[in-house]
């Protein structure tokens, strides 16, 4: 077995070490899901079929996005940021794998652990308490692919923020801006289908839409045939662009890094 599968397994084991903590986070996501669901139901009562969604679609979207918070890490950063700040990244650069590929494998393991421990309760609670739309087998399989791609896109964005530490030495400003952009343009606060006119069309083209909006729409079965292939290609395209940008940033950072004057 190569190095990266072991890194994935390490990430998975590490983030499943405290299941009670993950359960607490899951229950928090569930409670916020109920709050969001009632807000969306009030909105859809006034504007039925807003954005082409039914009320059941809106509620399902709400709880699917709550379930995606952990795997996609929409609120979080990366441990790599602190390792760059304190110089431990020098150790990472001597590992038997590229810096970006090592942390990508670790992040996919983290996402898998979060999917196992955090995503189930919000979905189950939403399905029991509200009208809910479960996907068929084909769309469920497509959702699994969309979830992996969403995680890679999220990693690509967070990795670029971490790389910024080589030049900025403090990630708080960049992280704050990125968080606001992620929440607003991913569909986490409101589905992008309710955004008006040019704002909505622009939001749907940005990489943040690949994190939440696209996987949720795949779950809802809003894509079919060529549309589904196009949605997955949209995610894959942004994943490739962001990973490519991360590779260039890593190359530039290697030339910039100085550890103990060396």
């Amino acid at each position: 077995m190569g190095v990266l599968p072991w890194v994935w397994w390490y990430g998975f084991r590490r983030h499943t070490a405290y299941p009670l903590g993950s359960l607490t986070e899951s229950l928090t996501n569930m409670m916020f899901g109920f709050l969001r669901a009632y807000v969306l139901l009030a909105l859809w009562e006034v504007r039925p079929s807003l954005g082409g969604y039914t009320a059941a679609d809106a509620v399902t979207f709400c709880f699917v996005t709550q379930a995606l918070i952990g795997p996609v890490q929409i609120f979080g950063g990366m441990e790599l940021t602190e390792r760059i700040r304190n110089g431990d990244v020098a150790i990472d650069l001597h590992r038997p794998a590229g810096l970006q590929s090592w942390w990508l494998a670790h992040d996919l393991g983290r996402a898998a652990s979060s999917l196992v421990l955090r995503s189930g309760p919000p979905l189950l609670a939403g399905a029991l308490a509200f009208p809910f739309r479960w996907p068929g087998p084909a769309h469920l399989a497509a959702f699994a692919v969309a979830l992996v791609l969403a995680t890679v896109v999220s990693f690509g964005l967070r990795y670029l923020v971490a790389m910024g530490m080589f030049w900025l030495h403090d990630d708080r400003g960049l992280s704050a801006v990125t968080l606001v952009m992620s929440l607003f343009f991913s569909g986490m606060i409101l589905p992008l289908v309710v955004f008006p006119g040019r704002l909505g069309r622009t939001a749907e083209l940005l990489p943040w839409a690949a994190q939440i909006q696209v996987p949720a729409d795949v779950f809802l079965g809003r894509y079919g045939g060529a549309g589904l292939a196009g949605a997955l290609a949209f995610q894959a395209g942004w994943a490739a662009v962001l990973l490519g940008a991360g590779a260039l940033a890593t190359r530039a950072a290697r030339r910039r890094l100085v550890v103990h004057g060396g």
Side-chain angles (χ1 to χ4, degrees):
M1 185 182 293
V3 173
L4 295 181
W6 283 110
V7 177
W8 180 93
W9 179 242
Y10 163 75
F12 180 83
R13 288 290 301 274
R14 179 184 178 189
H15 290 277
T16 53
Y18 299 99
L20 186 59
S22 297
L23 178 60
T24 303
E25 293 173 336
S26 181
L27 293 176
T28 302
N29 291 343
M30 182 180 67
M31 296 307 298
F32 275 100
F34 274 85
L35 294 175
R36 291 181 62 207
Y38 285 118
V39 170
L40 291 176
L41 284 174
L43 177 60
W44 257 259
E45 184 176 355
V46 176
R47 294 284 302 277
S49 300
L50 178 63
Y53 279 25
T54 64
D57 290 336
V59 169
T60 303
F61 179 93
C62 168
F63 284 98
V64 169
T65 57
Q66 289 298 123
L68 289 175
I69 287 174
V72 177
Q73 195 80 337
I74 196 73
F75 289 102
M78 289 184 66
E79 180 185 348
L80 177 59
T81 303
E82 180 59 29
R83 293 182 68 83
I84 295 172
R85 179 184 290 112
N86 62 29
D88 287 345
V89 69
I91 300 172
D92 297 345
L93 291 170
H94 284 86
R95 285 173 171 163
L99 182 68
Q100 187 180 40
S101 56
W102 179 285
W103 283 99
L104 175 58
H106 180 276
D107 199 63
L108 290 173
R110 175 209 56 78
S113 72
S114 186
L115 181 67
V116 171
L117 295 177
R118 288 185 59 179
S119 297
L123 280 178
L124 182 60
L128 292 175
F130 300 95
F132 203 82
R133 286 193 56 185
W134 288 103
H139 280 96
L140 189 60
F143 174 72
V145 176
L147 177 56
V148 173
L149 291 172
T151 304
V152 175
V153 170
S154 172
F155 168 81
L157 288 166
R158 288 180 287 117
Y159 185 82
L160 287 174
V161 172
M163 286 293 101
M165 280 293 295
F166 281 103
W167 290 270
L168 299 177
H169 308 297
D170 189 336
D171 69 307
R172 286 175 294 182
L174 186 57
S175 294
V177 171
T178 303
L179 176 61
V180 172
M181 298 288 282
S182 295
L183 291 176
F184 188 75
F185 287 113
S186 68
M188 189 67 236
I189 296 178
L190 283 173
L192 298 184
V193 295
V194 309
F195 285 20
R198 186 175 298 176
L199 176 61
R201 292 190 295 272
T202 301
E204 290 173 354
L205 296 176
L206 297 175
W208 295 284
Q211 293 179 275
I212 297 293
Q213 183 70 44
V214 172
D217 278 343
V218 170
F219 188 95
L220 288 169
R222 287 175 58 86
Y223 300 112
L228 179 58
L232 297 179
F234 169 76
Q235 288 184 289
W238 270 117
V241 168
L242 292 169
L243 291 179
L248 293 175
T250 304
R251 187 179 305 172
R254 281 179 176 274
R255 295 194 295 267
R256 184 176 180 82
L257 179 64
V258 176
V259 179
H260 298 305

